[in-house]
Every structure is written in C-alpha cells, then in structure tokens.
Amino acid sequence: MLLQKSISHMRRCRNITTTLRNHREIAQKLPLSVPLPLKNPEGVKVIPKGSPPIGRNSRVTKLENGLRICTEDTYGDFVTVGVAVESGCRFENGFPLGISRVVEKLAFNSSENFEGRDDIFAQLESNSGIVDCQSTRDTMMYAASCHRDGTDSVMNVIADTIFRPTIDETGLEQAKMTVHYENIDLPTRIEAIEILLTDYIHQAAFQHNTIGYPKYGMGSMDRIRVSDVYGFMGRAHTPERMVVGGVGIDHDEFVSIVTRHFDQKNSIWNRKSTLLPPKIPEIDISRSQYTGGEVRMQKDLKPLTIGKPYPLLAHVVLGLEGCGYKDEDFVAFCVLQSLLGGGGAFSAGGPGKGMYARMYTELMNRHHWIYSAIAHNHSYSDGGVFTVTASAPPDNIHDALILLVHQILQLQQGIDPTELARARTQLRSHLMMNLEVRPVLFEDMVRQVLGHGERKQPEEYAEKIEKVTNEDILRVTERLLSSKPSLVGYGDIETLGNYRSLDQALAKRDLKFLFKN
C-alpha cells in the first residue's frame, strides 16, 4: 500500500517536472508578477481563481445536539485534530478542588474500546500519531497530530477518552499521586516559579471565585473518588460545552467522522448511572468577580541556587483588573502588553524580539539588580488581570515594586508614536508567526469557536491592532488604575511594602506612599 502511494507520488512529481521544463523558455521571459502559463498536470489539484488562500477557508458546523465542528485547510500529509472542552479549575465549585487536573492525568489511560495505554499507543503508532491533554483555568484540550489517513482511528481514541473512559481505584490513585508529586516538585524548580506566580496572582485578583480557584498546591486530593470524576466529566463533557476541530482535513469528511464517534448518548455515565455519585453539583457558570488582594509566600529559596549558576532572588507581581477577550478594549490591552514587553536578563533577544520594549529599556537596562521584568495580559471570557512581574535580590524587592508602579503610572503621559507603532508591528508579527505552526493554529481555532462561537481570522485582528491609538492606550490605562491592585510576593519578601501603601499609591497616582520613612 505504501509502495503504491510512493509510485503515484513520484509519477505526479515527474509530470510537474516535465511541464516546467517545457515552459522554461517562456518562464525566463516573464516577470515574476505574471503567473506561469502551466497546464494542469494529471492528478494535481488546482485552486480556482478567487478562492480563499489555504489556511483561511475556515468552516464551522453546529450539530443538532449543540456540538460545534470547525476545520481549516493547510498543506502537508499530517493533520492536527482534537477537542476543546469548557472545563478547568474555574468550574470546580462544588467539586473537590483539583479534580480537573486529575481528569487531565487520566486522559488516554484506558477506555471501553482500549484496555490500557499500550493499546491506545499501539493504535496511535500505526497512524504516526501523538496525543496530549492539557488543562488551563477555563479549558481542557485533547489534541492529536497524525497522518491524514488515520484521522478516523485517532478521533475514535479521543472520543473514547472523553466519553467512555474506564476508571478504577488503581488508575485514580496513580493520577492523584502524579498531581501530588507535581505540587511538591514545582516549588523546587527555578523554571517553575513563573507558573506558581501566575497561579498566585489569580488567587489574589479573584479571591475565592471562578478564575481565582487554585490550580496547584491543593490539599483535597484524598476527597476525590471515582464517582466524583465521572460526575465532573458528566457535567463538563457535554456537546454544547465542546468544540471539535481539525486542521488539514476536508470539512465534510471530518463532520462525518465526528458525528459517528461523538454521540453523548453512548457515554459511559449515561449507560451506567451507578458510576455517578448520588448528588452531582451543577457546573458553576457564574461570572468572575475581580476583588484585588494579596498573596504573600515567605519562602527560603536558597536551596534552588545551591550548586547552580542562579542568584538568590525574590519575586513580586503587581496585578490590575484587565478585560475579557470579548471586551472592546481587548486588542488595546494586547498592544499595551506588547509595549511593556519584557523578559529575563539572559533572554535571547534583539530588536525583533522585544529588546526595545519598556521593561528592557527603562527597567533592566537602567537597574542592574533587576534580573527579570515582564508584562502579561491574562484574558478570559468574562474578565482578566493585567500583570507586571519583577525578580530582584531580596534587599531590592520593594524597589522593584516601586519601579513596576512607576511603569504603570507613567503610561498616563501618553506614548511616543514611534514606540506605539513598534509595539503594534511586533504584536502583529507574533500573531502571524505563531499561526504558522499547525498545533497553534488548531488551538487558536477551537478556542475562538468555543469562546466567540465563530472563527475570527488573523487579518481581522491585525487590522484592529493597526487601529490602536494613543487615546486607546490612555483609556485602558485609566481602566487599570481605577481598579484595586493585586499583589504577590514570593521568596524572602521581608522588605516588601504593605498592601495599603500600594493601594494608596495607585489610587492617588503618587509614588510617595511607597517610600518608607
């Protein structure tokens, strides 16, 4: 079978080569702006004139049960397919905290059609496939890349792990042990500090609600039972909360495959109700409530530096209320993040990689004791938090906080047109470059359909980015400063100022409240 495909492919290549040789003389006389007068070689697909370019002809189909299916064309023999589920730690209210990470670790273990991981990976191997499951605060992503001929088999594997998993006490204990180990391991790795800081700033910004529920470090693993896992999956894994996507596959063919495998009526919890607990909480669909606040983690980080070429640092994060990705100011917030930029002292960079962003030019280049300074814009469907982070020696950590506040306050003075144009250009460049990677294109597509109900093309966002003005930056800056601050301190933070002085400095727009007498 493989030999026949290779012979067919070689024959098509030979036909194209012959055609090009026959038109070489003509091609040498034509300018590059004029298409070559090629005839269509046998077996070669020609895109009709006026058709949308490859990778831009997105299609979305909604089935009667509410399941949405989206696809985009792309080049190559391999495809990326998967499912985005509206699930994650923000929906754990009423369930044992940490259950979404347990569900993540149980993915692709065993199901009704596959007795164990060996059977699943044997099926994947026969189709040159790989799979992965990742959970964020608001999304659970099941994805796979495989040869296009194996799409049906791989989608069967994904559908099984979503709707028909077989979970026993042994498998559950292994998943819980994995989560427990990660919770212990993360604080012992320098490269994982940013992950912890992100979790802590969400806890400070959205205290005890939705986006603020912790993803790491929970102590309720012992409470999670097999029936709880089935109950959570039964509530979250419903067609109206899911989007199935494929990149590099024909839309109609993909819809047929998905319709065949993704039937909720065949889910294991619908057919075997005894697997479910007597009472299952409803999924929390309440809106996120930004509260502001602080999380201080006084911690000895010396063990992380012993025997390693890393200095002893403390870390501070300043957060202010941002916006959701459905907000009209979302693009302006993204441009602001690009404007501030940032990175680490050892970032591989250059003018095209953010070295002209303010966190470099006005913090790291002027203060040798700042080892890292970076801005992030965390956006969700109904809210968000805009953060600036700095890492410095413990004796300088309060000075780092002052500099971060100064960066936010000086945005009120407006932005130089050249600097703003650079930020817009860099953001557009990152947007387009990231979408050249097939898995990234898949995630972008399914997340948009899950959040917006439609596929927004990158050209639309590029146009909006180009329209962001100085007035837009001033407006979103005012939105930031009108909110209560969120503060995270991690490491040796004895010199870090109190929350009240930070609140006063931002409310009064005056740094003097942060200077200690």
Side-chain angles (χ1 to χ4, degrees):
M1 182 68 179
L2 183 61
L3 180 60
Q4 292 178 348
K5 290 183 178 180
S6 300
I7 294 174
S8 176
H9 177 71
M10 293 173 60
R11 185 178 294 115
R12 289 199 303 268
C13 292
R14 190 179 298 113
N15 291 340
I16 294 174
T17 302
T18 302
T19 304
L20 290 174
R21 188 183 299 114
N22 294 338
H23 291 82
R24 183 175 298 170
E25 294 183 2
I26 299 176
Q28 292 175 347
K29 300 178 182 179
L30 290 176
L32 295 177
S33 58
V34 178
L36 292 173
L38 296 178
K39 295 182 180 180
N40 181 23
E42 181 182 355
V44 177
K45 180 181 178 181
V46 176
I47 301 175
K49 185 176 181 180
S51 299
I54 293 292
R56 295 291 183 266
N57 50 350
S58 310
R59 292 181 62 184
V60 180
T61 296
K62 186 174 183 179
L63 303 183
E64 293 181 357
N65 61 1
L67 181 67
R68 288 159 289 181
I69 305 171
C70 55
T71 61
E72 280 197 16
D73 282 345
T74 188
Y75 299 103
D77 290 334
F78 282 77
V79 300
T80 297
V81 294
V83 183
V85 185
E86 195 175 1
S87 177
C89 61
R90 76 164 292 172
F91 302 105
E92 291 181 350
N93 186 27
F95 295 90
L97 293 182
I99 195 168
S100 60
R101 285 184 67 203
V102 171
V103 171
E104 173 191 337
K105 302 306 178 185
L106 287 168
F108 305 110
N109 275 334
S110 62
S111 63
E112 290 188 325
N113 294 321
F114 301 94
E115 292 185 1
R117 293 178 65 87
D118 291 342
D119 295 326
I120 290 176
F121 284 95
Q123 181 81 350
L124 294 170
E125 184 179 353
S126 64
N127 295 287
S128 303
I130 57 173
V131 293
D132 191 22
C133 177
Q134 296 288 336
S135 67
T136 62
R137 310 192 87 82
D138 61 348
T139 308
M140 186 86 70
M141 196 79 66
Y142 299 86
S145 291
C146 65
H147 193 275
R148 65 173 66 248
D149 292 341
T151 303
D152 186 86
S153 298
V154 172
M155 289 306 295
N156 182 34
V157 171
I158 295 177
D160 250 38
T161 202
I162 291 176
F163 284 129
R164 294 174 289 277
T166 54
I167 305 169
D168 55 20
E169 292 293 342
T170 302
L172 177 61
E173 286 303 316
Q174 289 178 347
K176 288 159 65 172
M177 287 176 60
T178 302
V179 173
H180 180 66
Y181 170 77
E182 288 182 354
N183 291 341
I184 296 176
D185 180 60
L186 281 175
T188 66
R189 295 190 287 119
I190 286 182
E191 62 272 17
I193 289 178
E194 184 177 347
I195 297 175
L196 295 175
L197 294 177
T198 300
D199 198 39
Y200 293 146
I201 194 62
H202 281 81
Q203 294 179 45
F206 301 88
Q207 294 188 11
H208 311 299
N209 78 92
T210 58
I211 302 171
Y213 291 140
K215 183 178 179 182
Y216 302 99
M218 295 76 61
S220 60
M221 289 290 121
D222 293 338
R223 296 174 48 203
I224 300 176
R225 303 165 300 175
V226 172
S227 59
D228 295 323
V229 176
Y230 277 122
F232 183 77
M233 296 181 72
R235 291 296 192 204
H237 291 188
T238 58
E240 63 274 9
R241 298 176 62 86
M242 299 166 57
V243 171
V244 185
V247 174
I249 187 169
D250 177 76
H251 183 78
D252 294 331
E253 177 187 353
F254 193 61
V255 169
S256 175
I257 293 173
V258 173
T259 304
R260 186 164 58 253
H261 294 300
F262 284 76
D263 185 359
Q264 189 193 16
K265 296 178 182 178
N266 292 328
S267 64
I268 191 170
W269 46 82
N270 279 343
R271 291 184 286 103
K272 301 178 181 179
S273 59
T274 55
L275 296 173
L276 301 172
K279 186 176 181 180
I280 309 175
E282 295 290 337
I283 287 289
D284 182 13
I285 59 173
S286 59
R287 290 183 59 84
S288 61
Q289 301 295 322
Y290 181 88
T291 61
E294 64 176 337
V295 172
R296 290 174 179 260
M297 302 292 292
Q298 179 69 32
K299 189 175 180 64
D300 182 14
L301 300 181
K302 291 188 183 72
L304 276 66
T305 64
I306 296 176
K308 301 175 183 177
Y310 296 112
L312 177 61
L313 302 175
H315 311 271
V316 60
V317 186
L318 169 63
L320 296 164
E321 185 176 8
C323 71
Y325 54 71
K326 298 179 182 179
D327 194 288
E328 292 182 356
D329 283 333
F330 170 65
V331 174
F333 270 100
C334 293
V335 173
L336 177 59
Q337 186 276 329
S338 179
L339 177 80
L340 294 176
F346 301 101
S347 297
K353 297 184 180 179
M355 297 295 280
Y356 281 109
R358 285 193 174 188
M359 288 296 193
Y360 274 110
T361 60
E362 299 191 10
L363 263 71
M364 298 184 64
N365 290 353
R366 298 184 183 183
H367 306 278
H368 67 90
W369 42 267
I370 292 184
Y371 283 79
S372 174
I374 190 168
H376 289 290
N377 180 38
H378 304 280
S379 293
Y380 303 90
S381 61
D382 54 359
V385 58
F386 190 93
T387 67
V388 281
T389 306
S391 300
D395 292 341
N396 300 112
I397 196 62
H398 184 69
D399 298 328
L401 176 60
I402 294 175
L403 292 175
L404 293 180
V405 174
H406 176 63
Q407 284 300 309
I408 299 298
L409 292 180
Q410 75 172 358
L411 291 172
Q412 301 172 96
Q413 302 172 8
I415 309 299
D416 179 77
T418 302
E419 188 179 14
L420 180 58
R422 182 185 295 119
R424 292 195 303 255
T425 301
Q426 184 167 323
L427 181 58
R428 292 201 316 272
S429 173
H430 286 169
L431 172 66
M432 296 300 185
M433 184 171 59
N434 288 337
L435 291 178
E436 292 179 4
V437 182
R438 192 177 63 247
V440 176
L441 177 61
F442 161 79
E443 183 175 349
D444 179 68
M445 177 182 66
V446 293
R447 281 185 177 274
Q448 284 192 15
V449 176
L450 189 65
H452 295 284
E454 62 177 337
R455 171 70 166 126
K456 294 179 179 293
Q457 297 298 340
E459 289 83 3
E460 179 181 344
Y461 279 109
E463 183 178 351
K464 291 181 178 180
I465 292 170
E466 189 61 29
K467 292 180 179 179
V468 173
T469 64
N470 185 51
E471 288 72 22
D472 297 322
I473 299 298
L474 292 175
R475 184 179 65 257
V476 297
T477 300
E478 186 61 33
R479 285 186 62 172
L480 290 174
L481 292 172
S482 64
S483 66
K484 288 179 64 65
S486 302
L487 177 67
V488 169
Y490 185 74
D492 183 358
I493 53 173
E494 290 183 358
T495 62
L496 185 63
N498 60 59
Y499 179 82
R500 181 180 178 184
S501 63
L502 172 64
D503 194 14
Q504 288 180 317
L506 290 168
K508 301 292 185 180
R509 319 287 171 90
D510 194 338
L511 288 174
K512 70 179 182 181
F513 294 97
L514 288 171
F515 288 94
K516 301 177 181 179
N517 296 327

